[in-house]
Amino acid sequence: MELCVSLIIFLVSLPAILAKDVGNANVVVDGTLAVAHVDNNFVCATLDWWNHEKCDYNHCPWGSASVLNLNLSHPLLAKSIQAFNHLRIRIGGSLQDQVLYGVGDLKYPCHPFRKQKGGLFGFSRGCLPMSRWDELNHFFSKTRAIVTFGLNALSGRHNKGGGVWVGDWDSSNTYDFINYTVSKGYQINSWELGNELCGKGVGASVGAEQYGKDLIKLKHIINPLYSNAHIKPALVGPGGFYDQKWFATLLQVSGSGIVNVVTQHIYNLGAGVDPKLMQKILDPFYLDHISGTFDNLAETVRQHGPWASIWVGESGGAYNSGGHNVSDTFVNSFWYLDQLGMSAKYNTAVYCRQSLIGGHYGLLNRTSYVPNPDYYSALLWHRLMGQSVLAVERNGAPHLRVYAHCSKGSVGITLLLINLSNQTDFTVNVKNVLEFDTATQSRNTRKGSYFIHGLKRSVSWIGKASDGPLHRKEYHLTPKDGNLRSKTMVLNEVPLEITKDGNIPELEPVLVPTNSPLSITSLSIKFVVLPHFEAPACG
């Protein structure tokens, strides 16, 4: 009877088995020289000012996730940050330029944000009481977070029409706020001026020349206030969408050494309500479109501000709070991890995810604080992918995305494999450029690719000999029950869930002999740590 049942199950499954394709992908990693570098704390998450009245597409997904009322005593919130051992957090967002600071000679009552007809983004001014700022800094100290704070850049200006704001920036309230912060000994890694005011702006805009002058003014506030500090906070800006002429003018006007970090925002998936959102996430050609923006910004900074590094200061994939039952599910990790890998290749030093909590794109569920799938993607990246980015070439197979970094905290390299195909499993043959002939390695002859010279002979990526069996570590990520919209990520066939004692689960790899084939199933993600890969750039 059991044999009959097994036979029936096999016959029913046979069409699906036969429908699956198996592709071969040849990948060459060049570990001789890093092509880019990222910050050791590359992964970053944001805390926003939006409150429960922020609604999009008949959903109000923010609840009590605002900087002003987030439950800082929830144990999962602290544990989720502590798991990173220094998570970079950016405080900012659309309401940032309406935030007053409840200190000094404040000319307005210190009230929270309220819905207001005719207000910017439909809200009134809001105020950060210093008692709340004290609570936040105690929390950041306890969780060892690295903090970037976004300052109000519209103070003192007026709207002359069409969303264009003019006039000098009134820095008095900001001065009092930073002075209070310094007097209390609070550790702020960087101060950012303004949110999405560059170019045409979002809701409001400020001219590049005026903005450059204001950044100089802010620098002249920061320097004396931190004159006795061992390390001065960085100055970050403009925190908005890339506009070549605007960004170039800003850097030219502000001049050398004023802006330490140039930040851009990325929402390349479009509106959160787009019914084709999942289709975009799984389309390699669509994902590639944004690479031009990364490249262009990098070139603008090289030409006009080579002293500055580049960050993605905010990126949620889909704007207007993200996509309901998409941005908080497994499928979003295809977009998210691809963004981390792609941006790193263009010397993006830091990538801030919108958001840590709140909206549909929160790394944590806004009511239970339980991690969504992208949280674990972020944590694995943070723990495995080092600062040096390596060049990768692969043959065809556009649905297989491959990124390589020096491993973090260990020898060798780590690969990130992302399989966007819904019908093809890939066997991945990893090669080391060091094993090719000298002529092949020559930078002067790289008009084509390494594949022009063929991959006929067997190539080993193992470097120095080692006693005992050699293994690689694999972290294979799949959705629970094969459902791409699952809110439970599965690691090596084990669902990632909060432990019985209320902790973030361990992220354990499987050890695989190095001489066994490397493969990745359709619609899945895999981190592969290759400790014996010889890579001089990782020395």
Side-chain angles (χ1 to χ4, degrees), residues 120 129 235 312 361 404 502:
L120 191 59
L235 177 54
V312 170
Y361 39 38

Side-chain angles (χ1 to χ4, degrees), residues 457-535:
R457 65 188 181 92
S458 175
V459 180
S460 169
W461 51 261
I462 298 174
K464 300 176 182 178
S466 177
D467 296 331
L470 303 179
H471 293 89
R472 63 177 183 260
K473 295 178 181 178
E474 295 190 359
Y475 301 79
H476 189 207
L477 304 176
T478 56
K480 187 177 181 181
D481 300 325
N483 177 15
L484 290 178
R485 292 198 181 195
S486 173
K487 296 186 180 181
T488 300
M489 178 172 275
V490 176
L491 171 60
N492 297 326
E493 301 185 358
V494 178
L496 293 175
E497 298 170 335
I498 298 301
T499 64
K500 292 181 180 179
D501 52 358
N503 290 319
I504 302 296
E506 295 294 330
L507 305 182
E508 298 288 354
V510 292
L511 296 179
V512 181
T514 56
N515 59 359
S516 63
L518 172 59
S519 62
I520 180 169
T521 55
S522 61
L523 294 175
S524 71
I525 299 163
K526 183 176 285 189
F527 288 91
V528 184
V529 181
L530 306 174
H532 304 288
F533 192 103
E534 189 173 358

Side-chain angles (χ1 to χ4, degrees), residues 36-65:
H37 293 89
V38 300
D39 191 87
N40 190 51
N41 300 100
F42 173 71
V43 172
C44 165
T46 68
L47 289 176
D48 208 298
W49 298 97
W50 290 126
N51 64 21
H52 68 282
E53 293 182 294
K54 162 65 172 173
C55 303
D56 298 290
Y57 318 124
N58 298 317
H59 290 277
C60 303
W62 286 89
S64 298

Side-chain angles (χ1 to χ4, degrees), residues 177-252:
F177 177 53
I178 297 178
N179 186 42
Y180 176 87
T181 301
V182 173
S183 71
K184 300 289 283 189
Y186 297 148
Q187 299 300 306
I188 303 300
N189 176 265
S190 46
W191 296 99
E192 183 176 34
L193 183 63
N195 183 82
E196 298 179 354
L197 301 175
C198 50
K200 296 180 180 179
V202 178
S205 67
V206 174
E209 291 190 11
Q210 179 65 57
Y211 215 104
K213 295 174 184 177
D214 298 333
L215 284 168
I216 294 172
K217 183 186 292 188
L218 179 54
K219 193 76 166 186
H220 290 163
I221 290 173
I222 292 172
N223 284 344
L225 287 178
Y226 284 92
S227 59
N228 296 323
H230 179 62
I231 299 177
K232 288 185 174 65
L235 177 54
V236 179
F241 295 97
Y242 174 67
D243 177 297
Q244 193 280 331
K245 184 178 180 180
W246 197 100
F247 273 61
T249 301
L250 174 76
L251 291 168
Q252 291 165 348

Side-chain angles (χ1 to χ4, degrees), residues 425-438:
D425 299 343
F426 288 100
T427 298
V428 184
N429 304 304
V430 182
K431 314 295 182 181
N432 190 334
V433 72
L434 286 176
E435 300 296 333
F436 289 84
D437 296 335
T438 303

Side-chain angles (χ1 to χ4, degrees), residues 135-449:
E135 293 171 356
L136 285 163
N137 278 279
H138 175 73
F139 176 76
F140 294 145
S141 177
K142 180 180 73 171
T143 57
R144 303 183 301 277
I146 302 170
V147 179
T148 295
F149 189 95
L151 296 163
N152 180 346
L154 290 184
S155 181
R157 308 189 207 274
H158 64 277
N159 185 355
K160 76 168 189 177
V164 177
W165 289 61
V166 296
D168 292 331
W169 175 53
D170 182 353
S171 62
S172 57
N173 192 221
T174 291
Y175 176 91
D176 291 339
F177 177 53
I178 297 178
N179 186 42
Y180 176 87
T181 301
V182 173
S183 71
K184 300 289 283 189
Y186 297 148
Q187 299 300 306
I188 303 300
N189 176 265
S190 46
W191 296 99
E192 183 176 34
L193 183 63
N195 183 82
E196 298 179 354
L197 301 175
C198 50
K200 296 180 180 179
V202 178
S205 67
V206 174
E209 291 190 11
Q210 179 65 57
Y211 215 104
K213 295 174 184 177
D214 298 333
L215 284 168
I216 294 172
K217 183 186 292 188
L218 179 54
K219 193 76 166 186
H220 290 163
I221 290 173
I222 292 172
N223 284 344
L225 287 178
Y226 284 92
S227 59
N228 296 323
H230 179 62
I231 299 177
K232 288 185 174 65
L235 177 54
V236 179
F241 295 97
Y242 174 67
D243 177 297
Q244 193 280 331
K245 184 178 180 180
W246 197 100
F247 273 61
T249 301
L250 174 76
L251 291 168
Q252 291 165 348
V253 171
S254 57
S256 177
I258 297 296
V259 180
N260 304 111
V261 178
V262 175
T263 48
Q264 68 163 326
H265 291 183
I266 299 285
Y267 284 89
N268 61 312
L269 295 177
V273 75
D274 188 346
K276 295 183 178 179
L277 193 55
M278 283 184 60
Q279 182 179 324
K280 289 179 177 179
I281 290 172
L282 297 173
D283 182 349
F285 305 103
Y286 185 90
L287 295 180
D288 281 339
H289 290 169
I290 198 64
S291 64
T293 300
F294 288 122
D295 191 28
N296 291 338
L297 176 56
E299 181 59 29
T300 297
V301 172
R302 276 193 296 269
Q303 287 187 13
H304 304 288
W307 54 83
S309 61
I310 300 171
W311 292 8
V312 170
E314 181 182 315
S315 181
Y319 57 78
N320 288 342
S321 302
H324 181 54
N325 285 330
V326 175
S327 298
D328 54 353
T329 68
F330 179 87
V331 71
N332 204 61
S333 278
F334 291 110
W335 163 80
Y336 181 39
L337 287 172
D338 188 66
Q339 277 277 292
L340 295 183
M342 183 188 298
S343 63
K345 291 198 306 180
Y346 292 97
N347 274 309
T348 300
V350 169
Y351 193 105
C352 295
R353 167 62 179 265
Q354 172 81 344
S355 62
L356 175 63
I357 187 167
H360 297 304
Y361 39 38
L363 296 179
L364 307 178
N365 181 284
R366 70 172 174 86
T367 54
S368 69
Y369 293 73
V370 169
N372 287 319
D374 280 0
Y375 171 86
Y376 295 110
S377 294
L379 187 56
L380 281 169
W381 176 290
H382 177 76
R383 291 179 178 179
L384 301 176
M385 304 291 272
Q387 292 180 256
S388 296
V389 185
L390 305 176
V392 177
E393 288 193 17
R394 58 170 172 74
N395 63 323
H399 286 82
L400 179 66
R401 320 282 278 186
V402 184
Y403 300 100
H405 285 224
C406 295
S407 292
K408 192 169 191 176
S410 63
V411 296
I413 70 169
T414 298
L415 296 178
L416 169 60
L417 307 176
I418 303 172
N419 188 355
L420 301 173
S421 174
N422 63 359
Q423 62 182 17
T424 303
D425 299 343
F426 288 100
T427 298
V428 184
N429 304 304
V430 182
K431 314 295 182 181
N432 190 334
V433 72
L434 286 176
E435 300 296 333
F436 289 84
D437 296 335
T438 303
T440 306
Q441 295 180 41
S442 173
R443 297 294 189 272
N444 296 327
T445 60
R446 286 185 64 185
K447 295 181 180 179
S449 76

